[in-house]
Amino acid sequence: MSVVQSIRTAAVAAIKSLYNQDIALADVSINVTKPEFQGEYTIVVFPFTKFSRQKPDETAQNIGTWLAAHQPELIAGFNVVKGFLNLDINQDYWTAFLQDNYNNDNIGIQPSNGKRIMVEYSSPNTNKPLHLGHLRNNFLGYSIAEILKANGYEVIKTNLVNDRGIHICKSMLAWQLFAHGDTPASTGIKGDHLVGDYYVKFESVVKEQAEPIIDRVLENDFQDFEGADVEKLTKLVTALHKPEVKADADKTAKIMGDIKEMARNKTEIMQQAKIMLQQWEAGNPEVRHLWETMNSWVYEGFEKTYKRLGIDFDKMYYESDTYLLGKDLVADGLAKSVLFKKEDNSVWIDLTADGLDEKLLLRGDGTSVYMTQDLGTARLKYNDYHMEQSIYVVADEQNYHFKVLQLILEKLGEPSAPGIFHLSYGMVELPHGRMKSREGTVVDADDMAEEMVNTAKEATEKAFQRYNDITEAELQGLYETIGLGAMKFFLLRVDPKKKMIFNPEESIELQGFTGPFIQYAHARIKSILREVGPVEGLENFRYNGELLPLEKELIVLNEQFSGVVAEAHREMSPSVIANYVFQLAQVFNSFYAEKVEGVYTYSVLREENQDKKKLRLQLITLTARTIRQGMKLLGINVPERM
């Protein structure tokens, strides 16, 4: 039981004894005591004044007195500040915790709770390689899965591959038209990169073919369109000439965006891609063979990227396997009159009564949309695992989509509906701005990883003296650990809900809120432990003297780790772990570096008092284990030496 749980249990007993009132453990609010006050933990007593019928200070005084008298093994003393009860925890509690846990490889890990959760992340398209945005998604999904495991859940890590649809057909068509039979083997280009090149090629041709159509539209020539499209374009062009629109750049950009999109859809190459999609769904052998071939190139490329980044999955799902299930659900919804058809045979659901709008579920030509396949995937995943919760790690651009998905599943009576949870996260930008897939301006994940590893090599060679006994292979492994760790930490240290700017140069710095700073603290501890060597009797040792301030602070901070892991789950945020591990590394560095009159206050190597030496060995061993465990939950390795 953690110290916070122990305090809650004791406080509940105090309330019962003093005021004959039963309260739940969750009703006891406990904070870390502010640095300017004495104590380690603070009980907020204001909610209890309704039982005590006393002023907050009097209530706090009475509860503190009871705790000190009845729980002396836990509470050594207390003080009251403006109704807050600050508690001094008995030093024996801290030294007992240190003895019991300094050699615990599973610190912070809870036993199984018998519950199952699925985490879906990555979800790449097979028309392009992974990019910087995918990196935040992958690192976030992997870390959340590890945090859930640490909290006792059985976790199934899944990846839904977007392997079908118009975007896939774009790459396929461009390869047919322009590749002249090129393959990854013949070009030496990684498969996902080769396919991505043809996606960019398709978009450049679309842009080229759309330009004359746009020019004609802007001159009120609508020969490329018919029916309702002509009426819509007339309104858009008319609006462009209104003074209030001309004066508003955002309105002008939006109208031009609508015109450009309509023009894109009328280009010859886009029409060919739509025909290819229809052929794919009809099972055309030639189209299907090309699809399988190009996807195999991409999967081989993805696997190399995942392996280097330390990302894995328990189960792969493919939209090509799930979209037909989605169509079955659509048919069920039509039979139940939950869904309806429009004149063009497209299928919709009306969510206006729920404050939303009408949502397309099946196009008039019978082809599916994203929502169709997401419905099918939700049913398949639930049938496979019957999990309590299904977490989707997807950018906040899809907030509306997942709100609609859960609502549709509820209306269709699907058992998976209550467990749908969208872990929404903000987009990643670079210091020079946003990336665009269509224009080929995305930052490739492989290139970013290589850049980070090379930067780590440069920084390490500049900052550290090379060990004589380290091999080139070990050095390369160290650069990978530091470079990829820096990238992961920087992308995870920010709350997922926030947008962020990834600065590669800042992420690799050895000082500041970075992964390498924490990795170096761990390496420094391991260096001390190697120099000291094995110490007999350490496992049975408990310190009985007075703890110095930073000794106590380090023990207290380490003890809080299990609570931090629980908080990271509640908040669904690896940033909670990142902030904690950074703080732990900071306090260790203060512990390591503090001097008085040129003498290190907390020296391990030069400490002559053997009890003190054993205490500090236990303490830094525990700190290294906690750092390692915390970084592991972020998917980051820590080196033994730097």
Side-chain angles (χ1 to χ4, degrees):
M1 184 183 295
S2 71
V3 67
V4 170
Q5 291 171 312
S6 298
I7 294 170
R8 283 202 173 99
T9 301
V12 167
I15 297 298
K16 178 65 174 177
S17 176
L18 292 169
Y19 309 119
N20 195 30
Q21 183 70 40
D22 292 313
I23 63 170
L25 291 173
D27 293 333
V28 182
S29 179
I30 299 176
N31 301 319
V32 175
T33 302
K34 293 181 178 179
E36 60 266 32
F37 301 121
Q38 182 181 342
E40 287 83 53
Y41 289 97
T42 298
I43 297 178
V44 182
V45 302
F46 297 98
F48 309 141
T49 56
K50 59 184 177 183
F51 310 137
S52 68
R53 302 186 185 280
Q54 297 171 324
K55 293 179 180 179
D57 278 10
E58 294 172 340
T59 303
Q61 188 69 37
N62 288 337
I63 295 173
T65 301
W66 191 96
L67 291 173
H70 293 84
Q71 299 284 335
E73 71 286 352
L74 178 64
I75 308 300
F78 69 94
N79 63 88
V80 177
V81 179
K82 296 182 179 179
F84 291 94
L85 175 58
N86 302 322
L87 302 175
D88 285 312
I89 306 303
N90 193 313
Q91 180 173 286
D92 288 344
Y93 182 95
W94 300 123
T95 55
F97 168 81
L98 180 59
Q99 181 190 7
D100 292 342
N101 289 276
Y102 86 93
N103 210 22
N104 179 7
D105 281 329
N106 294 313
I107 188 164
I109 308 301
Q110 300 303 311
S112 172
N113 58 24
K115 296 179 179 179
R116 180 181 291 169
I117 293 179
M118 180 178 285
V119 183
E120 177 192 301
Y121 57 99
S122 197
S123 302
N125 297 332
T126 57
N127 64 323
K128 53 191 173 185
L130 302 176
H131 56 65
L132 179 57
H134 286 116
L135 291 179
R136 189 179 197 190
N137 180 295
N138 277 279
F139 299 156
L140 178 57
Y142 182 91
S143 181
I144 285 295
E146 294 303 306
I147 289 167
L148 288 167
K149 286 182 186 177
N151 279 280
Y153 292 91
E154 177 191 353
V155 178
I156 304 101
K157 296 186 284 189
T158 64
N159 185 356
L160 173 64
V161 181
N162 302 306
D163 66 338
R164 60 158 300 283
I166 191 67
H167 52 296
I168 309 301
C169 291
K170 290 176 180 179
S171 293
M172 291 165 57
L173 181 61
W175 185 88
Q176 270 189 337
L177 295 173
F178 308 111
H180 308 296
D182 283 351
T183 68
S186 69
T187 61
I189 299 174
K190 193 163 168 275
D192 50 337
H193 289 241
L194 180 68
V195 173
D197 289 343
Y198 285 102
Y199 177 76
V200 174
K201 176 64 176 177
F202 178 94
E203 290 297 338
S204 70
V205 174
V206 167
K207 185 176 181 181
E208 182 182 327
Q209 292 183 359
E211 285 177 357
I213 301 176
I214 295 168
D215 291 340
R216 286 193 289 271
V217 167
L218 294 177
E219 294 175 2
N220 289 301
D221 179 353
F222 307 129
Q223 62 177 282
D224 305 284
F225 301 88
E226 57 186 21
D229 284 349
V230 174
E231 183 179 348
K232 181 178 179 180
L233 284 168
T234 301
K235 291 179 179 178
L236 288 172
V237 174
T238 301
L240 271 181
H241 297 293
K242 292 181 178 179
E244 63 270 23
V245 173
K246 287 183 177 180
D248 191 323
D250 290 338
K251 287 182 179 179
T252 300
K254 185 179 185 311
I255 292 173
M256 284 302 301
D258 291 341
I259 292 172
K260 288 177 181 179
E261 194 60 34
M262 292 180 72
R264 283 170 49 83
N265 285 322
K266 284 296 181 180
T267 58
E268 179 184 354
I269 197 169
M270 185 67 81
Q271 295 301 312
Q272 289 176 280
K274 290 179 179 179
I275 292 170
M276 180 176 274
L277 176 60
Q278 292 171 356
Q279 291 172 332
W280 184 93
E281 295 210 4
N284 180 289
E286 183 181 344
V287 172
R288 285 293 181 116
H289 177 70
L290 176 61
W291 170 75
E292 290 171 355
T293 300
M294 293 183 69
N295 274 355
S296 71
W297 298 342
V298 174
Y299 296 147
E300 186 177 350
F302 283 171
E303 185 56 35
K304 291 178 181 177
T305 304
Y306 287 139
K307 185 175 181 180
R308 184 176 196 183
L309 296 176
I311 302 297
D312 62 1
F313 306 95
D314 301 309
K315 175 74 173 181
M316 301 292 288
Y317 287 100
Y318 300 91
E319 288 192 354
S320 55
D321 295 329
T322 65
Y323 82 103
L324 290 177
L325 276 175
K327 286 187 173 184
D328 290 343
L329 273 168
V330 170
D332 291 344
L334 282 170
K336 295 175 183 176
S337 299
V338 175
L339 313 179
F340 68 94
K341 275 190 177 183
K342 290 191 175 182
E343 291 181 1
D344 63 353
N345 276 331
S346 59
V347 181
W348 299 70
I349 186 168
D350 186 356
L351 301 175
T352 52
D354 300 283
L356 303 176
D357 56 10
E358 292 183 348
K359 183 67 180 178
L360 174 68
L361 299 182
L362 209 62
R363 297 187 185 96
D365 62 6
T367 57
S368 61
V369 294
Y370 278 120
M371 187 62 74
T372 324
Q373 52 226 23
D374 280 351
L375 292 170
T377 305
R379 172 178 277 187
L380 181 59
K381 292 196 299 186
Y382 187 81
N383 288 346
D384 283 347
Y385 292 100
H386 296 280
M387 57 279 185
E388 275 98 345
Q389 190 175 47
S390 182
I391 298 173
Y392 294 78
V393 183
V394 182
D396 55 13
E397 292 179 327
Q398 297 297 322
N399 287 350
Y400 182 78
H401 176 88
F402 283 98
K403 184 184 295 184
V404 171
L405 173 64
Q406 185 169 32
L407 190 54
I408 295 174
L409 289 168
E410 287 175 1
K411 291 182 181 296
L412 293 173
E414 288 294 299
S416 62
I420 299 294
F421 179 84
H422 176 206
L423 179 50
S424 173
Y425 64 89
M427 302 299 286
V428 183
E429 297 181 12
L430 287 166
H432 54 68
R434 289 195 65 177
M435 304 170 291
K436 298 178 181 178
S437 295
R438 283 180 177 178
E439 298 173 14
T441 61
V442 297
V443 177
D444 180 78
D446 293 321
D447 292 343
M448 180 59 71
E450 191 64 25
E451 178 186 335
M452 292 301 301
V453 172
N454 289 335
T455 304
K457 178 180 180 180
E458 293 173 8
T460 304
E461 290 177 345
K462 182 186 295 184
F464 301 107
Q465 182 177 356
R466 178 172 172 171
Y467 290 95
N468 293 326
D469 60 343
I470 194 167
T471 67
E472 286 300 324
E474 289 173 327
L475 270 176
Q476 186 58 37
L478 177 62
Y479 302 147
E480 292 272 333
T481 295
I482 297 171
L484 299 182
M487 180 167 60
K488 289 182 181 183
F489 189 86
F490 204 92
L491 289 169
L492 290 173
R493 71 179 194 172
V494 178
D495 187 287
K497 294 183 286 293
K498 297 178 180 178
K499 291 183 179 180
M500 66 170 297
I501 295 175
F502 176 62
N503 188 325
E505 293 180 2
E506 183 182 343
S507 73
I508 205 74
E509 290 178 0
L510 285 168
Q511 298 298 323
F513 189 15
T514 67
F517 173 81
I518 298 163
Q519 289 173 321
Y520 184 49
H522 179 270
R524 180 175 274 165
I525 293 173
K526 300 303 280 189
S527 175
I528 296 170
L529 293 175
R530 281 194 300 273
E531 194 165 345
V532 172
V535 175
E536 187 177 348
L538 198 61
E539 64 277 4
N540 298 316
F541 174 76
R542 182 188 294 187
Y543 184 69
N544 293 315
E546 191 71 23
L547 292 172
L548 294 177
L550 282 178
E551 292 168 342
K552 185 175 183 179
E553 186 176 351
L554 259 184
I555 299 175
V556 172
L557 196 54
N558 274 284
E559 195 278 338
Q560 291 170 356
F561 181 54
S562 61
V564 170
V565 174
E567 182 187 352
H569 167 221
R570 289 193 301 272
E571 298 292 326
M572 284 292 181
S573 176
S575 67
V576 174
I577 302 285
N579 279 276
Y580 167 82
V581 181
F582 173 63
Q583 182 186 3
L584 183 60
Q586 280 185 309
V587 174
F588 165 73
N589 278 359
S590 298
F591 172 91
Y592 175 83
E594 182 172 296
K595 285 183 181 180
V596 175
E597 296 180 354
V599 177
Y600 285 100
T601 307
Y602 298 96
S603 175
V604 178
L605 297 172
R606 297 179 181 85
E607 180 56 59
E608 296 179 358
N609 182 306
Q610 289 305 301
D611 281 359
K612 271 290 183 186
K613 187 167 189 171
K614 287 180 179 179
L615 165 73
R616 291 171 187 168
L617 281 170
Q618 286 183 336
L619 184 50
I620 65 172
T621 301
L622 172 64
T623 301
R625 290 186 186 280
T626 306
I627 288 174
R628 177 180 290 273
Q629 191 69 265
M631 294 291 266
K632 181 181 176 184
L633 295 181
L634 300 177
I636 299 172
N637 295 324
V638 286
E640 295 290 305
R641 53 184 178 175
M642 283 175 70

